[in-house]
Amino acid sequence: MRYFFTVFICKIFIFVLHLMKKQATSAPGKLAFRLYPDILKEFEKRTKKEIIAVMGTNGKTTTNNLLADCLEKCGFDVVCNRIGANMDEGSVVAYINKANLFGKIKCDYACLEMDEGWAEYILKYITPSKIVVTNLFRDQLDRYGEIDTTIGFLRKAISLAPNATLYINADDPLTVAMASVFDNKKVYYGIENKVQDVISTSKEGKYCLNCSKELKYEFNHFSQLGKYSCDCGFIRPEINFNAENISVFPTLKMNVTSYGDITFPVRGMYNAYNVLAVLSVCDNLNADKEKVKKALNEYTPQAGRMEHFNIGGKDLYLILAKNPTGFNQSVASVNDDPRTKDVVISINDGLGDGKDVTWLWDVDFENLIKDEIKSYHTSGRRYADMALRLKYMGVETDKISFAKDLKATLNSLSGSENECIYVLANYTALFEARAVITEVCNGHKN
Amino acid sequence: MDIKIKHLYPDFLNLYGDKGNIAVLKTRCEKRNINVTVYEMTKDNFSLDDCDILLLGGGYEREQKFVLNELKAFKDDIKDYIENGKVMLALCGGFEMLGSYESSDEGLEILNISTAFKEKRLMGDIVIECGTENEKYDVVGFENHAGRVDIKDYTPFGRVKHGFGNDDCKGFEGLVYKNLFATHLHGPLLPKNPVLADLIISKALKNKYESFEQLEPLDDSFEQEAHNNIVLKLKKE
């Protein structure tokens, strides 16, 4: 009774929020918890097949959404917290959105992205049968302190699901070490062989979690991902799900175990891992392979994940980059494109970004000094920190400008002689930049 | 003129972009035609004989403990280096490491200071006023530390104008002792504080060259903009 009442009230609340054009991602969830703290247990009962949890620091949203797309393509009803609302309320709202006014839910699978800090709390109510862990990169340091803290959170959460199969990124020593304490069944996905020479110098996590010695690498794919081993006996586990023949520009193409050639429209090496994670789960679920490949082909990235705009006939790409690894990957994507370009970097220090921006000095921005990059524009609340970072990496100061008025900057860049524009932004800066870009694009159309 | 900078265990103590400090010292010297050599120093090549500026940063707890254990063999060398008035910058965990801990862990005990850890981390932008009565300057940065440091009789590095400092009550941050600068302001402390960066370079040059008088000024407009933005931001809060 309490369940039906709660869903009914929350559905109406969401409806009202929509009428008021307000975001309905967390407030209805808070209300639901207040009305019925065990609401997630009820949702679990109403999930016909399985609950799949996606955790890790980077790539959660892409992985989770793509997994839901694939399952939907195969004809299943899927609950998914699509917009990256990954705290406890986000999962509740995802279910409520799928329910009708009378609490009836059509749900075969639930794909739930979980914030590392909230996963333990969510798993007190529901028990996923599969848990995907994408990777463990430094993320939002001032929220959780240190990567060791994040590892502690994930271990607590996973210990609540002893029967779940873990889908682990074999190339990430931190994720593998994190999961090594569990006896759960594990499926390892990864990239067996060397793909490209890597210039990244970030050494985050390149130390053995067991003995603190420096890991030995045969090769790196990026950041700490690669083929590693340690004197203490810690090695990359055998890969069950592998990708080879990988190319990353202009789209991602690769050959994957039991799937053959696949194409994914969003480029970037990091997406190879997101796709691998999804395919390893789909394979285990015996999902129709052709339908899954079709879902990959048709995937539309969320806002700011290599999002493409046309600005007065010129290509503009918007890329989210919220931590050193994400930024290094974004910089690599900029350099995958051989055209001449102007680059805008926007950095905020709001709550969603992490108030500490000192990590900017851990990004290998040195790789942004290229002949093809003709000018640099810094924006966001920390534009001056970013400009300073560029200056000390060796960019001539007359190539750097403060884009305090982003609209004016973009308008002027749309008329520059260079072939395309890249905008790199961290979390809240991305949404601000996106609004301005959309406005400028529309201005050009009229 | 030339300067040798030694960075202790940069691969381990690299939590918050410490390489920014090295980049700033190096660039600011080179612009003035001062040669700079940077050494990454571990126990394998430890030597302070020809060192002009020593940098000790902070790292993850696990990696910091590893470094601390390795450095114990050299604590007398580091102590002599500091006592001889050579220039050293110790940041965040590197600052706390120089003293002792109130827990069972053993510190380097080079300085008579002690650190107690509390659950609540002291975190946020910080502005401190440094220097002497006649020559005051502000230093801006970011602090994120669980340790509360009792600096006992040492002179604080600065007076907290905004933020927490060594503890959340006394209103002082870090310490200076001879030519050692120790502070919680982590990672890239020097980019936004060109005055401090030049002070460190000057002290190192004075130690080495009797004839050295002062550094020629540089265009610091980007540095000042970034510095002032933090001060303004905190005034608004």
Side-chain angles (χ1 to χ4, degrees):
Chain A
M1 204 47 225
R2 203 167 164 191
Y3 166 75
F4 295 105
F5 172 72
T6 304
V7 173
F8 184 78
I9 296 289
C10 290
K11 288 294 284 186
I12 290 176
F13 184 38
I14 291 174
F15 180 71
V16 173
L17 285 175
H18 280 306
L19 278 185
M20 291 161 67
K21 300 215 156 120
K22 288 217 168 115
Q23 268 209 329
T25 50
S26 88
K30 282 204 179 91
L31 176 67
F33 269 118
R34 192 160 254 189
L35 294 172
Y36 190 11
D38 279 348
I39 185 101
L40 275 172
K41 284 186 186 165
E42 294 282 348
F43 287 141
E44 179 173 34
K45 276 190 225 156
R46 288 166 172 80
T47 307
K48 288 195 197 103
K49 290 178 186 289
E50 296 188 35
I51 294 174
I52 303 158
V54 177
M55 306 175 188
T57 52
N58 291 34
K60 280 192 293 287
T61 309
T62 301
T63 303
N64 194 49
N65 290 1
L66 183 61
L67 180 58
D69 283 359
C70 290
L71 295 174
E72 277 175 352
K73 198 72 174 178
C74 294
F76 296 110
D77 284 306
V78 182
V79 163
C80 174
N81 47 349
R82 277 195 181 270
I83 33 181
N86 57 15
M87 304 194 181
D88 52 347
E89 310 113 18
S91 301
V92 174
V93 173
Y95 271 104
I96 293 174
N97 281 333
K98 196 81 180 168
N100 70 12
L101 265 181
F102 309 105
K104 198 166 160 32
I105 296 181
K106 273 192 186 169
C107 170
D108 296 311
Y109 291 100
C111 300
L112 300 176
E113 164 189 349
M114 293 178 195
D115 178 273
E116 41 281 18
W118 285 94
E120 179 199 351
Y121 189 72
I122 301 171
L123 263 58
K124 278 184 182 150
Y125 296 97
I126 55 173
T127 312
S129 52
K130 294 182 169 54
I131 298 175
V132 178
V133 189
T134 56
N135 48 53
L136 288 167
F137 296 128
R138 183 199 296 189
D139 188 20
Q140 297 177 327
L141 267 178
D142 56 357
R143 258 175 73 209
Y144 296 132
E146 301 189 348
I147 203 99
D148 303 83
T149 315
T150 307
I151 288 171
F153 285 146
L154 287 184
R155 280 184 174 160
K156 270 190 187 161
I158 293 172
S159 69
L160 297 173
N163 296 318
T165 306
L166 308 181
Y167 291 78
I168 302 292
N169 185 340
D171 292 346
D172 179 8
L174 285 179
T175 305
V176 170
M178 183 280 295
S180 66
V181 297
F182 296 110
D183 295 328
N184 296 42
K185 183 174 178 245
K186 288 166 200 156
V187 174
Y188 290 105
Y189 60 90
I191 301 167
E192 182 85 49
N193 297 314
K194 184 172 169 175
V195 180
Q196 56 194 7
D197 287 315
V198 178
I199 20 182
S200 162
T201 59
S202 282
K203 290 191 173 160
E204 193 68 31
K206 285 187 185 169
Y207 295 90
C208 181
L209 208 56
N210 298 331
C211 71
S212 289
K213 279 213 191 85
E214 187 170 359
L215 291 170
K216 290 183 186 132
Y217 275 87
E218 209 170 290
F219 53 81
N220 269 108
H221 294 309
F222 63 86
S223 190
Q224 82 262 19
L225 307 190
K227 187 169 185 185
Y228 51 86
S229 64
C230 180
D231 293 340
C232 73
F234 179 65
I235 53 164
R236 178 172 80 170
E238 195 180 317
I239 291 174
N240 312 114
F241 228 81
N242 180 38
E244 52 191 15
N245 298 328
I246 300 173
S247 66
V248 291
F249 188 81
T251 53
L252 176 68
K253 284 188 199 309
M254 56 188 190
N255 188 282
V256 179
T257 306
S258 95
Y259 280 83
D261 289 328
I262 65 104
T263 309
F264 189 63
V266 197
R267 61 187 218 238
M269 187 66 183
Y270 49 98
N271 279 318
Y273 285 100
N274 297 335
V275 170
L276 266 177
V278 169
L279 291 182
S280 57
V281 173
C282 287
D283 185 60
N284 183 279
L285 292 173
N286 288 320
D288 184 316
K289 291 201 163 50
E290 287 314 308
K291 285 179 180 159
V292 166
K293 280 161 90 165
K294 197 154 187 285
L296 292 187
N297 266 320
E298 292 169 3
Y299 180 76
T300 326
Q302 315 136 253
R305 265 68 165 196
M306 190 57 79
E307 193 177 5
H308 175 259
F309 296 85
N310 183 315
I311 177 164
K314 197 185 258 196
D315 288 330
L316 180 150
Y317 300 90
L318 176 62
I319 319 180
L320 169 74
K322 53 180 184 174
N323 52 22
T325 302
F327 239 112
N328 285 337
Q329 284 295 297
S330 303
V331 167
S333 306
V334 172
N335 289 331
D336 285 339
D337 186 337
R339 292 175 288 179
T340 58
K341 49 192 102 75
D342 301 295
V343 171
V344 179
I345 306 176
S346 188
I347 302 295
N348 272 353
D349 59 357
L351 255 186
D353 306 305
K355 286 178 175 296
D356 182 4
V357 297
T358 55
W359 57 268
L360 286 176
W361 292 83
D362 285 329
V363 179
D364 301 320
F365 281 115
E366 286 75 3
N367 297 332
L368 263 189
I369 307 183
K370 295 276 165 181
D371 291 341
E372 295 80 32
I373 302 176
K374 304 297 182 188
S375 70
Y376 304 81
H377 308 264
T378 64
S379 166
R381 297 219 311 245
R382 292 293 193 132
Y383 67 91
D385 284 80
M386 189 58 230
L388 203 50
R389 175 72 185 96
L390 292 173
K391 175 180 171 178
Y392 278 103
M393 87 186 185
V395 177
E396 292 153 37
T397 44
D398 56 6
K399 280 192 175 172
I400 307 169
S401 62
F402 299 154
K404 287 181 187 170
D405 179 351
L406 188 57
K407 191 177 168 186
T409 301
L410 289 175
N411 268 322
S412 110
L413 291 182
S414 70
S416 88
E417 58 190 9
N418 304 316
E419 292 165 277
C420 56
I421 304 168
Y422 276 82
V423 180
L424 313 182
N426 70 344
Y427 197 69
T428 64
L430 180 102
F431 292 100
E432 289 170 19
R434 195 171 185 274
V436 177
I437 292 167
T438 313
E439 194 187 334
V440 173
C441 285
N442 291 338
H444 276 280
K445 275 180 208 148
N446 298 333
Chain B
M1 291 190 285
D2 78 300
I3 276 198
K4 290 190 171 58
I5 301 174
K6 299 205 171 181
H7 191 179
L8 280 164
Y9 289 85
D11 286 351
F12 282 78
L13 305 178
N14 63 348
L15 185 48
Y16 306 104
D18 278 311
K19 68 181 179 188
N21 295 318
I22 299 288
V24 168
L25 292 173
K26 194 166 187 293
T27 310
R28 297 185 74 82
C29 283
E30 285 170 352
K31 279 196 178 151
R32 289 141 165 159
N33 295 318
I34 302 161
N35 284 324
V36 175
T37 324
V38 179
Y39 300 86
E40 303 194 342
M41 190 159 70
T42 65
K43 71 172 176 15
D44 300 329
N45 60 346
F46 193 97
S47 161
L48 293 173
D49 293 344
D50 51 352
C51 179
D52 300 307
I53 300 175
L54 180 63
L55 182 78
L56 177 62
Y60 287 121
E61 204 180 323
R62 166 169 40 100
E63 286 154 6
Q64 203 164 285
K65 274 189 183 158
F66 176 84
V67 171
L68 174 58
N69 271 326
E70 299 228 320
L71 282 182
K72 278 177 186 163
F74 305 102
K75 71 182 210 185
D76 291 338
D77 302 75
I78 300 172
K79 190 169 179 157
D80 289 346
Y81 177 90
I82 295 169
E83 291 293 344
N84 288 333
K86 303 294 286 289
V87 180
M88 178 173 182
L89 185 60
L91 304 174
C92 205
F95 161 31
E96 296 172 352
M97 202 188 283
L98 295 177
S100 58
Y101 299 105
E102 281 180 21
S103 59
S104 54
D105 295 330
E106 200 185 323
L108 289 174
E109 286 161 13
I110 291 168
L111 301 177
N112 180 26
I113 59 171
S114 80
T115 300
F117 292 101
K118 285 192 181 169
E119 182 129 351
K120 184 182 168 241
R121 296 187 79 85
L122 304 177
M123 209 185 302
D125 292 300
I126 174 168
V127 182
I128 57 176
E129 187 181 64
C130 302
T132 57
E133 201 53 52
N134 307 323
E135 242 184 328
K136 282 185 181 160
Y137 59 97
D138 281 351
V139 166
V140 302
F142 197 92
E143 59 180 329
N144 179 357
H145 51 107
R148 270 59 164 178
V149 182
D150 181 355
I151 61 165
K152 302 190 176 156
D153 298 331
Y154 291 97
T155 311
F157 173 48
R159 184 181 62 79
V160 178
K161 290 169 96 173
H162 194 290
F164 299 102
N166 289 335
D167 46 47
D168 39 5
C169 50
K170 293 202 188 92
F172 292 106
E173 165 49 37
L175 68 83
V176 278
Y177 174 63
K178 299 193 171 180
N179 284 326
L180 160 72
F181 297 84
T183 175
H184 286 110
L185 276 61
H186 69 210
L189 166 69
L190 301 181
K192 284 198 286 276
N193 296 297
V195 176
L196 178 62
D198 282 356
L199 181 69
I200 287 170
I201 297 169
S202 300
K203 284 188 181 289
L205 287 171
K206 259 181 217 157
N207 272 341
K208 198 167 186 179
Y209 301 98
E210 265 178 39
S211 59
F212 171 77
E213 283 178 1
Q214 60 181 31
L215 294 168
E216 57 192 277
L218 298 174
D219 172 9
D220 284 334
S221 48
F222 278 32
E223 288 79 352
Q224 282 310 332
E225 181 112 5
H227 180 107
N228 294 343
N229 280 356
I230 301 295
V231 175
L232 282 175
K233 181 186 157 193
L234 293 180
K235 267 188 189 154
K236 276 184 209 156
E237 275 175 10

